[in-house]
Amino acid sequence: LSIRGSQKGINQIKISDKTIWAASDNGLYATSDIGRSWRRFFKGVGDEERKVLSISEGSGEGGESGEGDGGGVREQIFVGTMAGIFWSGDGGGHWERATGELSDGAVNFLAVDSQGEVYAAAPMGVYVSHDSGRTWERIFVTSAEEVSDENGNGDDGDSDEILFSPEAVTSILPGETPGEIYLGTREGVYTTKDTGQNWQRLTETGLGRAEVNHLWFHKGQLFAATSKGVFVLSEPEGSWKNFSVGLTEGNIVYGSSLWAISEEGVFKLK
């Protein structure tokens, strides 16, 4: 893939079924033939709309594929841009802008769970849509100013349940049961079992204050790529175990199954 123009940055690569997605500074591209041909599915209007930060898919009703793409593109596509969320219900043929708070501003991460609930991370918090992206509800707050405004009493920022960074949420991972969500943040890992009505921070034992860059499941266990290596959650012991034996010291930015990507290169667990 060679992107034309001056804006060529790739912000996210996502692989699903036979489709490889590339969220770029110049729109959303996809290939269903392992890169022999690419199609731009979303280009936006203006620099902010054109800069796609995140991409996720939903099965949609009927689960039909878009035309002319070799059957690799599902019906519902969600993109997070510097100018809000856009979604398509017909495989990228037509696009609509999200309403409310997510109609403008950066949307850094998107995820769709097995029930079709769509989750989005923006500077002011994490949001959920129960109707395929048409409307959104905030379920996790990351802004100290918002807490103060809503409480009307000038929150002092000491609560463990609130994060005070515009880029606090770094990863959204749907769990294995409906309503279960895990958030990777700059201040540890949070989870909810009821689609965001109640949140709790997972134990810091073993993990400390390491920044969490990415979360994933492997064989039913929760893994975290962090600024201090790869960690796995040991639920019986209630602690995190360092899983970085043989891995170069440094910031692990992404992980999946047996793979880890760090600032020093790509590693595979033997």
Side-chain angles (χ1 to χ4, degrees):
L1 173 61
S2 179
I3 297 177
R4 299 177 180 177
S6 59
Q7 305 299 321
K8 301 180 180 181
I10 303 294
N11 301 309
Q12 187 184 53
I13 295 289
K14 183 177 178 63
I15 302 174
S16 58
D17 296 334
K18 297 180 180 179
T19 303
I20 302 173
W21 298 94
S24 82
D25 288 346
N26 197 22
L28 175 69
Y29 293 80
T31 176
S32 56
D33 55 12
I34 319 180
R36 287 188 288 272
S37 61
W38 290 82
R39 173 184 169 190
R40 184 159 68 170
F41 277 78
F42 177 86
K43 61 181 179 179
V45 177
D47 291 341
E48 291 193 344
E49 284 187 16
R50 192 173 294 120
K51 187 170 184 177
V52 179
L53 304 175
S54 53
I55 159 73
S56 194
E57 295 174 273
S59 59
E61 295 181 3
E64 297 177 358
S65 299
E67 296 180 0
D69 56 21
V73 180
R74 295 179 180 179
E75 187 178 29
Q76 292 179 319
I77 308 173
F78 303 90
V79 295
T81 75
M82 287 295 294
I85 290 179
F86 293 81
W87 64 277
S88 172
D90 59 2
H94 301 85
W95 293 89
E96 295 186 36
R97 183 193 292 268
T99 59
E101 294 180 55
L102 297 185
S103 64
D104 194 15
V107 176
N108 299 312
F109 300 96
L110 289 166
V112 182
D113 68 13
S114 59
Q115 305 299 307
E117 306 277 46
V118 189
Y119 298 88
M124 304 306 286
V126 176
Y127 298 75
V128 63
S129 174
H130 306 291
D131 53 11
S132 299
R134 293 172 178 83
T135 59
W136 296 85
E137 171 193 358
R138 186 166 60 177
I139 58 175
F140 189 85
V141 180
T142 59
S143 168
E145 293 180 0
E146 287 290 301
V147 173
S148 177
D149 291 343
E150 291 176 2
N151 293 344
N153 57 7
D155 193 292
D156 60 10
D158 291 334
S159 171
D160 281 346
E161 301 305 318
I162 306 299
L163 305 177
F164 305 111
S165 168
E167 298 179 351
V169 177
T170 59
S171 181
I172 304 176
L173 178 66
E176 298 179 332
T177 58
E180 182 182 36
I181 297 294
Y182 294 86
L183 297 182
T185 78
R186 299 301 185 195
E187 298 289 340
V189 181
Y190 289 73
T191 185
T192 177
K193 307 295 183 183
D194 51 17
T195 318
Q197 295 184 45
N198 297 282
W199 291 92
Q200 69 178 48
R201 181 186 290 183
L202 294 183
T203 179
E204 294 181 357
T205 304
L207 187 64
R209 287 285 180 172
E211 295 185 359
V212 177
N213 297 315
H214 187 70
L215 296 172
W216 74 98
F217 284 114
H218 179 59
K219 294 184 177 180
Q221 290 186 290
L222 180 64
F223 285 78
T226 80
S227 57
K228 296 181 179 179
V230 176
F231 290 79
V232 59
L233 179 63
S234 176
E235 292 187 352
E237 299 180 21
S239 63
W240 292 89
K241 301 295 183 182
N242 194 317
F243 209 71
S244 303
V245 177
L247 195 62
T248 301
E249 294 287 340
N251 192 28
I252 310 300
V253 298
Y254 184 84
S256 179
S257 186
L258 302 178
W259 296 87
I261 301 177
S262 79
E263 294 175 344
E264 303 297 328
V266 180
F267 299 81
K268 183 180 181 182
L269 184 67
K270 291 185 178 180

